[in-house]
Amino acid sequence: MKRIFNQGLLKVLVLALFSCFQLTTRAQNDKAQDDWKFSHPILIQQPEPTPPNDKNNGRMPEFPGGNMKLQQYLKNETHKILSSRADNVFGKVVVGFEVNEKGNLSNFRILKSTNPLLNEDALSIVKSMPDWKPARIDGKEVKSKMNVIVNFE
């Protein structure tokens, strides 16, 4: 009789311990989920960015007509080269260059290339680009470095 009582008491104690453990774990998980919601800024609406003020914050160098015109220019030029080549060579070439205070381009160099056969073609495309709008800091045009990806696809 004493043994049955001890086994019953032991079962009740074990069940009570598991219940407490489960409640503690659930409370920690709920808290972790709440922390996660507020610790990841992607879930919180960000304010709209304000455009930089040319005189105070400056601006990056810009292809005439903007980034969309640059992409169109590169696409047209790569298409011309690919259609004139007899081989089916494809790849990407990253070309670095400098834009001086007047917007002239210089110091062209290959930074990365997936196909060395395309390096000279990529350099010729970038060298033939028109002058850019120079970078500006505190209302003054300054020399800057730029990179473009010439994608032969």
Side-chain angles (χ1 to χ4, degrees), residues 14-31:
V14 168
L15 284 173
L17 284 174
F18 278 124
S19 296
C20 290
F21 179 72
Q22 185 179 14
L23 288 174
T24 303
T25 305
R26 181 174 294 152
Q28 289 174 352
N29 285 343
D30 290 344
K31 181 171 178 5

Side-chain angles (χ1 to χ4, degrees), residues 5-132:
F5 178 73
N6 285 340
Q7 286 178 347
L9 183 62
L10 184 63
K11 286 180 183 178
V12 170
L13 285 174
V14 168
L15 284 173
L17 284 174
F18 278 124
S19 296
C20 290
F21 179 72
Q22 185 179 14
L23 288 174
T24 303
T25 305
R26 181 174 294 152
Q28 289 174 352
N29 285 343
D30 290 344
K31 181 171 178 5
Q33 287 175 352
D34 289 342
D35 289 345
W36 186 85
K37 287 177 188 172
F38 296 107
S39 66
H40 294 357
I42 197 164
L43 299 176
I44 300 171
Q45 179 142 358
Q46 297 293 324
E48 289 293 318
T50 56
N53 182 344
D54 276 354
K55 292 188 179 194
N56 296 331
N57 297 332
R59 72 163 187 240
M60 295 291 293
E62 185 179 314
F63 184 83
N67 196 33
M68 292 296 288
K69 291 287 185 183
L70 172 62
Q71 296 306 317
Q72 288 175 344
Y73 174 83
L74 293 173
K75 188 174 184 175
N76 290 339
E77 295 301 312
T78 55
H79 185 273
K80 288 177 193 175
I81 289 176
L82 287 176
S83 62
S84 67
R85 291 181 71 114
D87 53 358
N88 289 332
V89 179
F90 301 101
K92 293 181 183 183
V93 181
V94 180
V95 180
F97 57 95
E98 291 180 1
V99 181
N100 71 10
E101 299 85 355
K102 295 180 180 181
N104 300 323
L105 309 181
S106 62
N107 296 330
F108 303 94
R109 63 204 169 284
I110 302 295
L111 300 176
K112 258 186 188 178
S113 177
T114 60
N115 191 335
L117 296 174
L118 298 170
N119 290 356
E120 289 303 316
D121 292 328
L123 276 174
S124 70
I125 289 172
V126 175
K127 285 179 180 180
S128 69
M129 287 193 299
D131 290 345
W132 286 39

